[in-house]
Amino acid sequence: MANNVRPPPHGVVVAHLLLFFVFCSACKGAGGEYDENRVALASGIEIVPVRMKSGHPTNNESIEAALAEPEGFYKRALQLNAEAIKGTPQLRFEVLGFTDRIECRENCQELSARRAKMVYDWLLVAGVSSSSLTTPVGHGSNMPIGDNETDEGRSRNRRVEINPTVD
């Protein structure tokens, strides 16, 4: 019996390679290195997690004062995230806050919820429709992405993620 499996047309292979290249390029930093802080979605939009200073936000603090350094980078990331969300009204996004294990011995849940709520409120003021967002949620020090034994790892864990979600 002859094998009737044909390779995909040349155009399909090229399209898949191009999509892969675009996806991988979007995850690279300005110097061409892979940037684990950038999340490129298959839809072509890119969402950047926002890092916060240790113990921030405090009550009545501006988002600019709570953002980690470089503050300008994360402020621009918020602006780009807002534009990406507004540009994809067919998707809904969750806003999730996190802490490191050391910065809050007792109320990590509360601090992470304040972080998520601060970013959520900022997105609404920036023109994102509330129907595009789920209720912000704090996860405390659960789900670390960095090593809580190092300064850099703890810095990576103090974040707010904006993720597409399926309701």
Side-chain angles (χ1 to χ4, degrees):
M1 190 185 290
N3 185 351
N4 291 330
V5 177
R6 291 189 201 172
H10 177 71
V12 171
V13 172
V14 170
H16 284 153
L17 287 174
L18 183 58
L19 180 60
F20 177 76
F21 174 75
V22 168
F23 179 80
C24 290
S25 296
C27 292
K28 293 189 182 231
E33 72 285 353
Y34 174 74
D35 186 350
E36 63 194 19
N37 296 318
R38 298 167 67 117
V39 180
L41 305 174
S43 63
I45 66 170
E46 183 179 329
I47 301 293
V48 179
V50 179
R51 289 190 192 177
M52 299 284 187
K53 292 176 185 168
S54 182
H56 293 264
T58 59
N59 292 331
N60 302 318
E61 182 176 42
S62 72
I63 196 163
E64 291 81 7
L67 293 174
E69 299 294 331
E71 174 189 312
F73 172 83
Y74 290 112
K75 180 71 183 239
R76 182 70 181 134
L78 280 170
Q79 293 165 341
L80 293 172
N81 290 345
E83 293 305 314
I85 293 168
K86 289 189 284 188
T88 54
Q90 71 278 18
L91 295 177
R92 289 197 68 201
F93 292 82
E94 59 186 1
V95 181
L96 309 174
F98 301 90
T99 65
D100 69 43
R101 192 178 68 223
I102 310 267
E103 70 178 316
C104 51
R105 298 265 184 229
E106 295 178 12
N107 289 316
C108 288
Q109 189 68 34
E110 180 185 322
L111 177 58
S112 64
R114 278 198 322 264
R115 286 180 175 158
K117 178 81 165 96
M118 176 178 263
V119 169
Y120 175 90
D121 290 345
W122 187 94
L123 290 169
L124 294 178
V125 170
V128 171
S129 169
S130 61
S131 65
S132 294
L133 301 172
T134 63
T135 302
V137 176
H139 286 282
S141 59
N142 297 324
M143 297 186 273
I145 59 171
D147 182 355
N148 273 307
E149 301 305 317
T150 68
D151 288 340
E152 174 59 27
R154 286 188 299 275
S155 172
R156 291 181 61 223
N157 292 334
R158 295 187 296 266
R159 70 194 186 281
V160 176
E161 294 181 1
I162 304 168
N163 301 316
T165 185
V166 178
D167 290 329

